[in-house]
Every structure is written in C-alpha cells, then in structure tokens.
C-alpha cells in the first residue's frame, strides 16, 4: 500500500512500551485481537482511560457471555456503520470473522432483515443496535418489545452495553482519525468495500 499519500495522524499512536504499567492490558488485547489497536495506543497518553476501557471491554467480550460473541461483533459492526465510523466497521467485521462468523454472513449483515442467514432473534438485536446508534436515539417501544421476545433481561443488558461502548469508540476513532492497521484494512477491502466501505481518513 502506498505510504506516500498518507497524511500524518492527528495524534500519533505511541509504541506499547511507552507506558510499561499498561503492559498486561496490551498483552491481553493482543491475545484477543492479534495486535494492539492504534485506538488504545493513542489513548495511552491517559493510562487510567485505557484501564477503564480495558475493564469495560473485558466485560463485553467475556467468554461466559450469554449473548454469542460473534453476534456481539455483528452488533458492534452495524452500530459503527450507523454512526459512520469506518475504523470500527473494519475492526468489528474482522473481529466477527476471527470469532467464526461466516464471511458470507458478515457481507450480508446489511440485508439482515430479509436474509435467511439471520434468525428473528438476531434481527431484533440488530434493529435495536442500529436505532440505538442514531442521534437522537431511535429505539422504539415496538423494537424493545420484539427484543424481549427473544432475549432475557440480562442478555438485553449485554446487547445494549455493546452499543453503548461503541458509541464511545466510534466518537473516539472518528475524531482522532485513528490510523487503520493493515489487517483490518485488508479485510475491509475484501469484504466490505462492495457495500460502500472505504478506509477514508483512517488511511494514514
């Protein structure tokens, strides 16, 4: 990929060794994602913020989650697309792939309301995810009633928590124009570009 056309980052990601106190947090992230994302390498200028984010992220992606982790990645993907964050769209799609979600399903996620790959329970969750990510919030009583038909109260808490966390991450990465890493860019170009995705300002 041509590096010469890339503008300088708004705030440069710092190397992981810049903050030794965060070594364990970075290693846990590397184990889960395969790399330490530039989003938290920028964020490490405030170590307590990274620690708080890491705690929330660990709760969201808990292996004992009652909601399938692959669906949570799809929820975070549609949430990010509704918010317009290309960085998080690439990350969440690649993350869904790593969790075993079929590429065909990832590519079809914006046809979820009619595509037979998606169950009624998944459709209810994705409806709420998109509406919850709008500003102002567009979740209706009818959407929430449908959600309750398929998911328990504790599962609904998990679903809404994913949307809420990505509300933070979408705004963080869009404002910072966080540079996308090579693997998410490659996944996005292969699987998301046909639906209009591009790295945009995150190609830095």
């Amino acid at each position: 990929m041509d590096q010469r056309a890339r503008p300088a980052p708004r705030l440069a990601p710092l190397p992981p060794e810049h903050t030794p106190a965060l070594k364990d947090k970075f290693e846990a992230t590397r184990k889960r994602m395969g790399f330490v994302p530039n989003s938290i390498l920028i964020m490490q200028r405030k170590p307590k913020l990274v620690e708080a984010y890491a705690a929330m992220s660990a709760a969201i992606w808990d292996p004992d989650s009652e909601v399938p982790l692959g669906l949570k990645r799809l929820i975070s993907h549609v949430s990010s697309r509704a918010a317009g964050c290309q960085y998080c769209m690439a990350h969440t799609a690649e993350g869904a792939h790593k969790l075993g979600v079929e590429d065909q399903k990832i590519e079809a996620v914006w046809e979820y309301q009619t595509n037979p790959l998606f169950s009624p329970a998944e459709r209810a969750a994705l409806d709420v995810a998109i509406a919850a990510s709008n500003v102002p919030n567009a979740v209706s009583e009818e959407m929430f009633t449908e959600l309750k038909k398929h998911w328990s109260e504790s599962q609904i808490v998990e679903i809404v928590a994913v949307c809420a966390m990505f509300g933070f991450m979408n705004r963080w990465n869009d404002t910072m124009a966080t540079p996308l890493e090579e693997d998410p860019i490659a996944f996005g170009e292969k699987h998301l570009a046909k639906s209009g995705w591009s790295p945009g300002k995150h190609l830095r």
Side-chain angles (χ1 to χ4, degrees):
M1 196 168 292
D2 187 356
Q3 302 290 323
R4 292 172 298 175
R6 297 188 179 190
R10 289 177 176 171
L11 286 181
L14 301 175
E17 58 271 17
H18 181 271
T19 313
L22 295 175
K23 181 179 179 180
D24 290 346
K25 300 290 188 298
F26 289 155
E27 287 308 308
T29 301
R30 193 191 309 275
K31 182 177 179 181
R32 178 168 52 83
M33 297 183 65
F35 59 92
V36 182
N38 287 330
S39 53
I40 61 174
L41 293 179
I42 293 171
M43 195 184 295
Q44 70 175 307
R45 289 171 170 83
K46 300 298 292 186
K48 288 183 179 179
L49 190 55
V50 175
E51 291 170 357
Y53 171 73
M56 174 65 81
S57 185
I60 294 288
W61 307 114
D62 186 346
D64 294 327
S65 171
E66 295 181 59
V67 177
L69 294 180
L71 176 58
K72 282 188 172 182
R73 280 296 181 190
L74 293 179
I75 289 168
S76 61
H77 178 73
V78 301
S79 179
S80 297
R81 180 161 171 174
C85 181
Q86 310 286 1
Y87 179 92
C88 291
M89 284 174 64
H91 269 252
T92 53
E94 188 201 22
H97 169 81
K98 287 179 177 177
L99 286 168
V101 178
E102 302 89 343
D103 290 343
Q104 182 184 8
K105 190 168 185 176
I106 296 169
E107 292 172 1
V109 71
W110 283 95
E111 304 164 2
Y112 72 88
Q113 291 175 324
T114 57
N115 193 296
L117 292 173
F118 295 87
S119 69
E122 290 173 325
R123 290 172 184 155
L126 294 170
D127 275 344
V128 167
I130 293 170
S133 305
N134 284 322
V135 178
N137 190 295
V139 177
S140 66
E141 292 299 326
E142 292 76 14
M143 288 178 186
F144 217 84
T145 297
E146 185 65 19
L147 194 67
K148 287 180 175 180
K149 291 179 182 178
H150 303 283
W151 303 98
S152 69
E153 290 187 357
S154 59
Q155 288 172 322
I156 289 171
V157 167
E158 289 190 16
I159 289 167
V160 175
V162 174
C163 302
M165 185 176 78
F166 274 85
F168 171 79
M169 291 309 295
N170 294 158
R171 283 157 179 76
W172 177 268
N173 289 307
D174 241 359
T175 301
M176 293 295 187
T178 305
L180 261 169
E181 305 80 6
E182 294 301 323
D183 286 351
I185 287 178
F187 191 89
E189 289 177 340
K190 182 176 181 180
H191 298 284
L192 305 179
K194 65 188 73 176
S195 297
W197 178 89
S198 71
K201 63 187 173 185
H202 303 286
L203 186 63
R204 290 172 176 260

